[in-house]
Amino acid sequence: MKVAWVLPYVHREIGEECIRRCRMEHLLLVDNTETNWGVARSENLGMDFMREVDADWIVFLSAAVRFGPEGGKDFERALC
């Protein structure tokens, strides 16, 4: 199964660590300035991205997410 990951509201102080530790394919980073104007917009962008990459699952992450050593791959395995 293919998973589309959506990380809305990428704040610099929180998002940079997440991005550095992410080891997931099909990750959509939605900024909180020009691209995204709220949670509903993130969901719409994410659903478009899910169709674009032909994913079976979509996971919306919090901007405060902290990935462990596997960079989210352990979570992806649990989904599939």
Side-chain angles (χ1 to χ4, degrees):
M1 287 191 175
K2 190 185 296 183
V3 179
W5 300 87
V6 180
L7 179 60
Y9 301 123
V10 182
H11 298 289
R12 171 166 268 140
E13 63 276 4
I14 296 171
E16 285 180 355
E17 177 191 351
C18 173
I19 295 165
R20 185 175 58 251
R21 296 182 77 172
C22 274
R23 296 193 182 102
M24 297 172 294
E25 295 180 54
H26 314 297
L27 177 66
L28 175 66
L29 304 175
V30 182
D31 65 42
N32 64 343
T33 54
E34 296 176 23
T35 305
N36 183 45
W37 289 98
V39 174
R41 178 71 175 138
S42 294
E43 292 172 2
N44 292 338
L45 292 168
M47 294 304 290
D48 288 344
F49 181 67
M50 181 184 178
R51 285 190 286 273
E52 180 182 319
V53 300
D54 194 29
D56 302 296
W57 285 85
I58 187 166
V59 178
F60 292 91
L61 303 171
S62 165
V65 69
R66 298 277 199 264
F67 289 113
E70 292 196 52
K73 283 293 187 184
D74 50 345
F75 184 67
E76 186 172 355
R77 283 193 303 273
L79 286 176
C80 303

